[in-house]
Amino acid sequence: MPKKGYVINWMLSFTIAALFFTACVQEEESIPDISMELGDDILAVKAWFENNKGTVKAKSQMNSARLNLVNFGEMALLPSWESSQKYRLADGRMAYEINLTDADMVYPKEFAEEWGDGDVGSAILTNLMLVEKNGSGGYGIYLVRYYPKRQTGKKDFGQINYSDLGKAWEGRIGVFDMGGTLLHSFGIGKGRVLESIKTMYAGKGPQNENKSSNCTLIVKEYCYVVTSESEGEGGMLPEVVVNCINVFELNCPPPIFVGSPGDNGSGGHNPSPNPGDAYFCEPLDDDCIPFPGPGGGGDDFDFEEEEEVTNNLTDPCASEIFVQTSCSLDFSSVPAAMLNSLNINSGIMDMFANATNFQYTIKQENLVGRNGKTDKLSSNEVVVTMDNTYLNTATKLSIARTMIHENLHAYFLHFSYASDFTQGLQNFVVQNNIVGLPNAHHELMGQYVLGMAVSLALWDVTYGDNQNQLDFEYYIAMACAGLLHDGTSQPNDAFVAIAGDKLQEYLKIISDEASNSADAKSNPC
């Protein structure tokens, strides 16, 4: 007879599954009046932009040495004002970021090679950024492009901005002016500026830049996409051409700012607000703006706090899966508030990332008889270990499942010193006649199967091999993996109660993915 708690979870899983597969149905609706949805401050910024964008764009005539691959057309400057972010930069000024969905594509060639040509467009996030000017009124206008590393994963608008990159984000940020000139770039690691980069056409610089012995001059390829029409059998057809050119890049450690090619080399028309601050300035703008992130200038820039989550996985595919499953995924085709509230893995990893004096580490080594394990080394440190052979054999879906499972162990261990949780676990053990901590954890996990299944499904739809192709019950079955009697391969009471008469079917699904059999629905790394 199934336990009552498991029956409730099972019913909920079918409710979520129904939402999961029916939410993609598009219903006809009237076009909303965004003026009714935007705040007065956003409406005021929108009005200013519409009145001034032509003047600002006309001013944008940079020295010929500056890299300018695209002259943004009007379609590239149609912001989605209903997708707006408002925040303060590190120096206290207000900034507004608005998503641009049709901006022309410009990117380093190595970025395309990392992501693959098919993913380049969806991986780049391009936003309009308006920065409040000091004293003179109005705003400085910039186009900000976010180029994430593949292991960081794609970010949707609302998950990142110039001032708040998050602790895990890695990649490059390019800041352009309204005329398409690349003003400055930043190399980002763990949400921090690692490189201050000035880009120029090869052969036309550097000349008088503010250089340092710590700066490095390199040659890099930048690419841009040109869309035109050509005559085909059915008439005029769109033709997409990717052009790439060699450029010079001068890379410096922050907070060094590199002057503009052909400028006086001092870092722009005006000096930064304080010598040594992490600002960049431009000769055609009367303001300097801080570097990305919360540490825009002064002592605040140099923060060296210890990372609360350490990823020591050396297998690049496993490392990428770990980062992806840790993210708060924006699954917009279903009711986000409902699904994301059940996406327990991202909540667990957010807790570890923001924990005070608690260290989470994930690594890999050779284990015997297990795919992964979780150990609490002290009251403030937990370590998840993945087996090397398993990472080389299992499908990506199975690896993601194991990481989510081990992270739940880490969550339980983190709270093992909390009196309320400890007492509750002891009561659970007594009531269900459970012997041993591993068995206690695995029986308790039966109450979390739905949340683990949702986390796994969201990861698979966003990053995995299945795009709404699997029945949600497949993820329920995968989430039951590991719910075994300690030291055996026998399903525990929680597993049996959830699977019911489909126990053997669930076990086969788990085995297929773990061994990468012919019936597996995912691919290995």
Side-chain angles (χ1 to χ4, degrees):
M1 185 71 179
K3 297 179 183 178
K4 182 179 181 181
Y6 301 128
V7 174
I8 293 174
N9 279 353
W10 183 238
M11 293 172 66
L12 278 172
S13 71
F14 279 114
T15 302
I16 296 299
L19 289 169
F20 194 80
F21 292 106
T22 60
C24 60
V25 177
Q26 299 296 318
E27 295 185 5
E28 186 175 339
E29 58 182 27
S30 59
I31 299 175
D33 179 4
I34 66 169
S35 65
M36 300 296 291
E37 300 176 6
L38 302 180
D40 291 342
D41 51 351
I42 300 295
L43 288 173
V45 172
K46 178 177 182 292
W48 184 92
F49 174 78
E50 296 296 338
N51 290 332
N52 291 275
K53 65 179 181 180
T55 304
V56 174
K57 187 174 181 180
K59 286 173 56 181
S60 180
Q61 302 296 326
M62 286 294 183
N63 183 285
S64 60
R66 304 299 296 277
L67 185 66
N68 188 321
L69 301 179
V70 173
N71 184 15
F72 295 124
E74 286 299 312
M75 287 304 296
L77 298 174
L78 294 176
S80 301
W81 290 97
E82 62 275 17
S83 299
S84 302
Q85 294 190 59
K86 171 186 173 183
Y87 53 86
R88 291 192 180 275
L89 295 178
D91 60 1
R93 282 182 291 165
M94 291 304 305
Y96 301 84
E97 243 176 275
I98 306 94
N99 190 224
L100 294 172
T101 56
D102 296 313
D104 297 319
M105 288 173 55
V106 180
Y107 50 86
K109 186 176 181 179
E110 63 187 21
F111 176 80
E113 292 171 345
E114 180 181 3
W115 278 92
D117 292 337
D119 286 331
V120 171
S122 62
I124 300 172
L125 179 64
T126 303
N127 295 337
L128 177 71
M129 183 173 73
L130 290 90
V131 178
E132 187 179 43
K133 286 183 175 290
N134 276 320
S136 60
Y139 302 89
I141 304 180
Y142 308 90
L143 273 76
V144 182
R145 280 192 169 88
Y146 300 90
Y147 306 98
K149 288 188 176 180
R150 190 169 181 85
Q151 69 177 34
T152 295
K154 302 173 186 178
K155 293 292 184 182
D156 292 328
F157 183 82
Q159 294 181 300
I160 189 175
N161 63 48
Y162 186 85
S163 183
D164 185 3
L165 303 173
K167 290 184 177 181
W169 199 86
E170 297 192 348
R172 172 182 285 234
I173 295 175
V175 181
F176 296 74
D177 75 349
M178 289 278 285
T181 298
L182 178 56
L183 303 177
H184 208 73
S185 299
F186 303 94
I188 308 294
K190 301 295 184 183
R192 307 174 184 181
V193 176
L194 301 181
E195 294 178 310
S196 172
I197 306 166
K198 184 66 66 180
T199 306
M200 61 213 82
Y201 288 112
K204 294 188 177 181
Q207 298 171 4
N208 301 314
E209 293 81 3
N210 179 11
K211 289 179 283 187
S212 162
S213 59
N214 293 324
C215 297
T216 303
L217 181 68
I218 62 173
V219 177
K220 184 185 290 285
E221 280 191 88
Y222 252 85
C223 301
Y224 59 102
V225 177
V226 177
T227 303
S228 59
E229 290 187 343
S230 61
E231 189 170 354
E233 294 182 1
M236 299 302 291
L237 300 174
E239 182 178 7
V240 177
V241 178
V242 177
N243 298 312
C244 300
I245 66 168
N246 288 332
V247 299
F248 281 144
E249 282 197 345
L250 196 60
N251 295 18
C252 300
I256 295 174
F257 171 71
V258 187
S260 304
D263 303 343
N264 57 19
S266 64
H269 182 67
N270 287 334
S272 63
N274 295 295
D277 281 357
Y279 284 78
F280 81 91
C281 314
E282 286 302 324
L284 293 181
D285 198 349
D286 55 4
D287 266 335
C288 303
I289 66 171
F291 279 18
D299 295 335
D300 291 338
F301 181 78
D302 188 19
F303 46 91
E304 295 294 338
E305 77 274 7
E306 183 179 356
E307 291 294 322
E308 307 297 347
V309 173
T310 300
N311 179 2
N312 287 336
L313 292 169
T314 56
D315 184 300
C317 179
S319 178
E320 182 178 14
I321 292 172
F322 172 72
V323 172
Q324 292 167 348
T325 56
S326 300
C327 294
S328 178
L329 302 175
D330 180 16
F331 196 63
S332 56
S333 63
V334 297
M338 179 176 291
L339 274 183
N340 281 326
S341 68
L342 291 170
N343 185 10
I344 62 173
N345 191 67
S346 69
I348 289 171
M349 296 314 300
D350 283 345
M351 178 196 72
F352 285 131
N354 296 306
T356 301
N357 297 323
F358 192 91
Q359 179 66 36
Y360 171 103
T361 300
I362 185 169
K363 62 178 184 176
Q364 63 188 80
E365 61 183 43
N366 294 323
L367 301 178
V368 178
R370 59 179 67 184
N371 300 332
K373 67 172 185 173
T374 304
D375 299 300
K376 190 161 189 176
L377 302 186
S378 67
S379 61
N380 61 355
E381 183 176 8
V382 67
V383 176
V384 171
T385 306
M386 303 291 290
D387 176 52
N388 284 322
T389 301
Y390 170 71
L391 293 179
N392 290 328
T393 304
T395 67
K396 290 178 284 187
L397 186 66
S398 183
I399 293 172
R401 192 286 311 167
T402 300
M403 289 178 176
I404 292 169
H405 177 98
E406 296 302 329
N407 287 340
L408 193 53
H409 276 301
Y411 176 79
F412 291 160
L413 290 173
H414 174 61
F415 282 102
S416 62
Y417 286 85
S419 58
D420 290 346
F421 178 84
T422 302
Q423 185 60 52
L425 185 60
Q426 289 176 349
N427 293 341
F428 179 79
V429 166
V430 172
Q431 292 168 5
N432 293 277
N433 298 316
I434 299 171
V435 177
L437 183 62
N439 285 327
H441 274 203
H442 285 148
E443 291 289 357
L444 183 60
M445 280 186 184
Q447 305 293 337
Y448 293 82
V449 162
L450 178 58
M452 290 191 288
V454 168
S455 293
L456 185 61
L458 289 175
W459 171 83
D460 195 26
V461 171
T462 308
Y463 300 108
D465 300 316
N466 299 288
Q467 303 296 320
N468 282 343
Q469 296 175 359
L470 294 182
D471 186 272
F472 187 75
E473 189 175 1
Y474 199 91
Y475 302 109
I476 289 286
M478 290 294 294
C480 289
L483 304 191
L484 308 172
H485 290 296
D486 187 36
T488 77
S489 59
Q490 298 301 311
N492 66 10
D493 292 347
F495 193 158
V496 172
I498 293 169
D501 59 4
K502 294 186 176 182
L503 180 61
Q504 294 306 313
E505 179 183 337
Y506 281 21
L507 288 171
K508 184 179 186 305
I509 288 173
I510 294 166
S511 176
D512 287 341
E513 298 295 338
S515 62
N516 184 31
S517 78
D519 292 329
K521 305 301 183 184
S522 179
N523 297 312
C525 284

